[in-house]
């Protein structure tokens, strides 16, 4: 029998035994898996099926078959859910009129708290709304990776920026997160997220279209390019802040891990293949046409995003005397007082500190200390891309086997190994072949670990947090992460000056280990994706 569990529902083994759901009002509803249709008429079954579909539909147009995690049609017997005629005793307590009434009469709290069964998740790319979301995100990520190369080339060859100006231009892309991150997160819980996503993508297209105009008119300089980068940073902040809390509205809760895995896989491919593709396009068609191409990419992404069918409830108006600052504080309190989100947030903040150390030092260590040629450094980065892609493939299975908490912990532990190896191995005296082998393996394992933990971490946050505070929760964690990364990168410069490469990398590995320990000694260790929304 294809049985399944909710937190409050158990299917009986056979019609004779009968399974009994007692809701908080004490009303008994029996659910059984029958192999024939003799107990109920076909019309009654259709009513019950429609009622269940309405109860579990999340605005994405999916019915009960998808909510149960089965891609087979509900009318097939292996996933058939029947409503048994209510017993005389239960009928005396509550005079239901028909099978649909039985379902709709269940206590609202039970239906609200019962998570969508995870079961055998349907391939999310077969869901039209997610397919559009994934397609738009993927081509935008590819476009962003291509444009990143073009911007770097323009900064050096056209603007002829000084080292200080290069630092300022790079900081402008991060500055919006530091200044506006908390505010934008609070707004995303008050605004329509899909509409925001579309408008921001259109804004990116318009902003990128300005670049070829500046190039052709000779008006591209440090100030105009800085303005473009700053505007793109603000638009990206709004776009990212809208996309993450929108995803749980597009796919059922049980498909979040698979959805984030698909996004992670395509994102890794885009970030790996995008830069070399950008270099080739820049040489073939030149910077002006490249940015025209980037504009077209964002227009296509906006069209795809606009076609996503999703229901977003209208947020309640802010009470008199309550301002955006109150919303921000509420989001921070929720995040850092939550039983499992608090250790998750603290662990990821510490992880970002370690990541700021190792990513800041890695390129200098590989190219100067190990004297790897540029092609070898590119091979190491490509190995990281492969590792990240495989990690995103493994992530859903790891989450199913180990649970969300232990999958995140696995990633946290694995990420220590490559950096501890680099810290303890004297590769400077080794041959290029040996040094390259170790560095490639380190990058592969580092990105593999990130692929496993990122997918499960983001999915867990999306699954346990109520929709009305998703934007603020995500903004709180993301903004603090970037603040930590910013100051960690500055601190790394001082550590390199006083401690050298190996000790600095070793400190980064130690910080990663501390991030893992936070999970080990917290309730997050036993967390699963099917935990109740709280």
């Amino acid at each position: 029998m294809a049985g399944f569990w909710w937190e409050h529902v158990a299917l009986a083994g056979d019609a004779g035994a009968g399974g009994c759901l007692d809701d908080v009002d004490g009303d008994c509803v029996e659910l059984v898996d029958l192999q024939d249709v003799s107990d109920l008429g076909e019309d009654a079954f259709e009513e019950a099926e429609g009622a269940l579909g309405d109860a579990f539909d999340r605005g994405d147009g999916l019915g009960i078959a998808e909510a149960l995690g089965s891609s087979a049609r509900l009318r097939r017997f292996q996933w058939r859910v029947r409503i048994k005629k209510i017993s005389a005793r239960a009928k005396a307590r509550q005079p239901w009129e028909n099978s649909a009434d039985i379902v709709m009469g269940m206590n609202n709290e039970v239906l609200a708290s019962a998570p969508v069964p995870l079961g055998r998740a349907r391939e999310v790319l077969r869901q039209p709304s997610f397919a559009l979301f994934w397609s738009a995100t993927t081509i935008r990520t590819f476009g962003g990776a291509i444009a990143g190369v073009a911007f770097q080339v323009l900064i050096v060859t056209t603007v002829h920026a000084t080292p200080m100006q290069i630092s300022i231009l790079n900081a402008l892309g991060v500055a919006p997160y530091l200044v506006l991150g908390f505010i934008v997160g609070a707004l995303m819980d008050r605004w329509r997220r899909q509409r925001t996503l579309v408008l921001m993508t259109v804004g990116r297209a318009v902003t990128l279209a300005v670049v070829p105009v500046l190039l052709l008119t000779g008006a591209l300089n440090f100030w105009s390019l800085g303005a473009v980068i700053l505007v793109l940073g603000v638009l990206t902040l709004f776009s990212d802040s809208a996309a993450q809390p929108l995803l749980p509205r597009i796919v059922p809760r049980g498909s979040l891990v698979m959805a984030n895995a698909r996004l992670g896989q395509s994102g890794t491919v885009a970030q790996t293949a995008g830069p070399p593709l950008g270099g080739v396009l820049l040489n073939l068609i030149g910077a002006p046409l490249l940015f025209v191409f980037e504009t077209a990419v964002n227009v296509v992404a906006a069209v795809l995003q606009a076609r996503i069918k999703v229901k977003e409830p209208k947020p309640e108006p802010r009470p008199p005397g309550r301002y955006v600052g109150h919303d921000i504080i509420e989001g921070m309190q929720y995040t850092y007082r939550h039983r499992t989100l608090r250790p998750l947030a603290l662990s990821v903040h510490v992880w970002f500190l370690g990541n700021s150390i190792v990513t800041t030092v890695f390129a200098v260590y590989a190219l100067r200390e190990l004297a790897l040629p540029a092609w070898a450094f590119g091979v190491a980065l490509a190995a990281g891309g492969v590792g990240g892609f495989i990690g995103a493939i493994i992530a859903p299975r790891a989450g199913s086997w180990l649970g969300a908490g232990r999958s995140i912990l696995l990633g946290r532990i694995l990420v220590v190994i490559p950096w501890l190896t680099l810290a303890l191995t004297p590769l400077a005296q080794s041959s290029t072949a040996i040094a390259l082998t170790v560095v490639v393996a380190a990058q592969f394992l580092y990105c593999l670990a990130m692929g496993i933990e990122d997918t499960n971490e983001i999915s867990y946050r999306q699954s346990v947090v109520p929709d009305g505070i998703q934007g603020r929760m995500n903004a709180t964690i993301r903004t603090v992460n970037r603040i930590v990364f910013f100051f960690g990168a500055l601190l790394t410069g001082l550590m390199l000056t006083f401690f050298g490469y190996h000790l600095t990398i070793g400190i980064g590995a130690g910080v990663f280990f501390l991030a893992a320990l936070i999970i080990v000694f917290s309730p997050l260790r036993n967390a699963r994706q099917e935990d109740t929304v709280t």
Side-chain angles (χ1 to χ4, degrees):
M1 186 190 74
F4 61 89
W5 282 89
W6 281 307
E7 181 180 355
H8 300 283
V9 181
L11 290 185
D14 55 71
C20 181
L21 164 68
D22 285 312
D23 67 18
V24 295
D25 290 331
D27 299 319
C28 183
V29 180
E30 299 185 12
L31 303 173
V32 295
D33 189 0
L34 298 177
Q35 297 300 312
D36 57 68
V37 296
S38 59
D39 280 10
L40 292 174
E42 194 67 18
D43 292 340
F45 173 70
E46 294 293 344
E47 290 183 8
E49 177 186 349
L52 279 169
D54 291 340
F56 285 95
D57 185 74
R58 298 175 59 131
D60 54 6
L62 301 178
I64 183 63
E66 287 77 6
L68 297 178
S70 171
S71 60
R73 295 188 57 182
L74 183 64
R75 296 181 63 81
R76 290 188 171 185
F77 288 128
Q78 64 265 32
W79 280 101
R80 187 174 294 270
V81 178
R82 296 295 194 189
I83 307 294
K84 190 180 180 183
K85 289 183 177 180
I86 211 141
S87 63
R89 180 169 56 88
K91 190 177 288 187
R93 290 162 56 187
Q94 182 66 49
W96 302 103
E97 293 183 12
N98 54 44
S99 300
D101 289 335
I102 295 175
V103 177
M104 299 311 292
M106 291 180 185
N107 184 276
N108 289 335
E109 291 185 30
V110 176
L111 289 177
S113 62
V116 176
L118 299 183
R120 296 167 57 190
R122 177 190 181 189
E123 171 52 59
V124 287
L125 286 176
R126 294 179 182 175
Q127 301 177 18
S129 291
F130 178 75
L132 292 169
F133 182 87
W134 176 86
S135 300
T137 302
T138 299
I139 65 172
R140 237 198 65 184
T141 304
F142 259 107
I146 293 171
V149 173
F151 273 118
Q152 294 299 321
V153 172
L154 290 179
I155 289 171
V156 175
T157 62
T158 303
V159 177
H160 302 290
T162 65
M164 179 58 70
Q165 289 176 328
I166 292 175
S167 299
I168 293 173
L169 291 173
N170 287 333
L172 287 175
V174 182
Y177 286 90
L178 305 182
V179 178
L180 300 174
F182 292 114
I183 298 174
V184 173
L187 294 177
M188 287 307 103
D189 287 334
R190 297 282 177 183
W191 292 2
R192 296 291 177 88
R193 294 158 186 166
Q194 182 193 17
R195 182 185 302 167
T196 301
L197 191 61
V198 174
L199 291 176
M200 295 305 108
T201 305
V202 171
R204 284 178 57 86
V206 173
T207 304
L208 288 167
V210 172
V211 177
V213 176
L214 294 174
L215 282 169
L216 295 175
T217 59
L220 187 69
N221 54 37
F222 170 75
W223 299 104
S224 59
L225 186 58
V228 169
I229 293 175
L230 180 61
V231 171
L232 287 175
V234 173
L235 294 171
T236 301
L237 167 61
F238 274 89
S239 179
D240 290 347
S241 299
Q244 206 165 65
L246 178 64
L247 183 59
R249 284 258 162 209
I250 296 176
V251 301
R253 184 169 174 262
S255 299
L256 281 172
V257 176
M258 182 66 72
N260 280 302
R262 294 290 178 259
L263 291 169
Q265 291 159 15
S266 61
T268 300
V269 172
Q271 292 165 5
T272 303
L277 179 60
V280 171
L281 289 176
L282 195 62
N283 287 328
L284 288 178
I285 63 178
L289 287 180
L290 178 59
F291 280 99
V292 171
F293 171 75
E294 282 301 303
T295 300
V297 165
N298 279 270
V299 169
V300 173
V303 171
L304 294 174
Q305 290 165 348
R307 294 181 59 197
I308 296 173
K309 294 182 179 180
V310 58
K311 293 181 181 178
E312 295 186 78
K314 185 177 181 180
E316 295 183 4
R318 191 178 286 115
R322 183 182 176 91
Y323 304 98
V324 67
H326 296 93
D327 291 343
I328 292 172
I329 293 173
E330 185 179 61
M332 297 180 72
Q333 290 176 338
Y334 176 88
T335 301
Y336 294 112
R337 290 179 179 177
H338 193 280
R339 180 173 176 269
T340 54
L341 282 183
R342 178 176 63 251
L344 176 59
L346 294 177
S347 176
V348 75
H349 298 335
V350 174
W351 187 93
F352 261 79
L353 177 60
N355 199 48
S356 69
I357 296 172
V358 299
T359 53
T360 301
V361 73
F362 176 68
V364 185
Y365 170 73
L367 295 173
R368 289 185 182 175
E369 178 73 2
L370 303 183
L372 291 179
W375 67 265
F377 182 68
V379 170
L381 295 181
V386 174
F389 182 78
I390 294 176
I393 293 176
I394 295 173
R397 184 62 59 89
S400 176
W401 284 351
L402 304 175
R406 285 186 170 87
S407 296
I408 298 169
L409 177 59
L410 174 64
R412 295 281 197 268
I413 293 174
L414 286 178
V415 82
V416 176
I417 299 173
W419 300 109
L420 187 60
T421 301
L422 292 179
L424 298 178
T425 308
L427 294 176
Q429 290 76 38
S430 303
S431 65
T432 299
I434 294 176
L436 177 59
T437 300
V438 175
V439 169
V440 164
Q443 277 292 298
F444 176 85
L445 187 56
Y446 164 58
C447 294
L448 175 75
M450 285 197 295
I452 294 173
E453 66 179 274
D454 280 356
T455 296
N456 283 285
E457 176 196 318
I458 294 172
S459 301
Y460 182 74
R461 281 157 45 185
Q462 291 172 330
S463 65
V464 301
V465 177
D467 181 77
I469 204 167
Q470 281 268 348
R472 284 167 286 172
M473 178 276 299
N474 284 317
T476 297
I477 295 177
R478 289 162 61 93
T479 302
V480 175
N481 286 345
R482 279 157 177 78
I483 293 173
V484 169
F485 191 94
F486 179 80
F487 288 103
L490 296 178
L491 180 63
T492 303
L494 295 176
M495 289 193 294
L496 278 174
T497 302
F498 292 103
F499 302 147
Y501 294 109
H502 287 274
L503 183 54
T504 300
I505 294 175
I507 292 173
V511 174
F512 281 136
F513 183 69
L514 178 60
L517 285 181
I518 293 175
I519 298 178
V520 170
F521 296 105
S522 76
L524 178 63
R525 182 183 68 254
N526 299 317
R528 302 191 68 87
Q529 298 291 350
E530 54 265 46
D531 287 348
T532 305
V533 176
T534 55

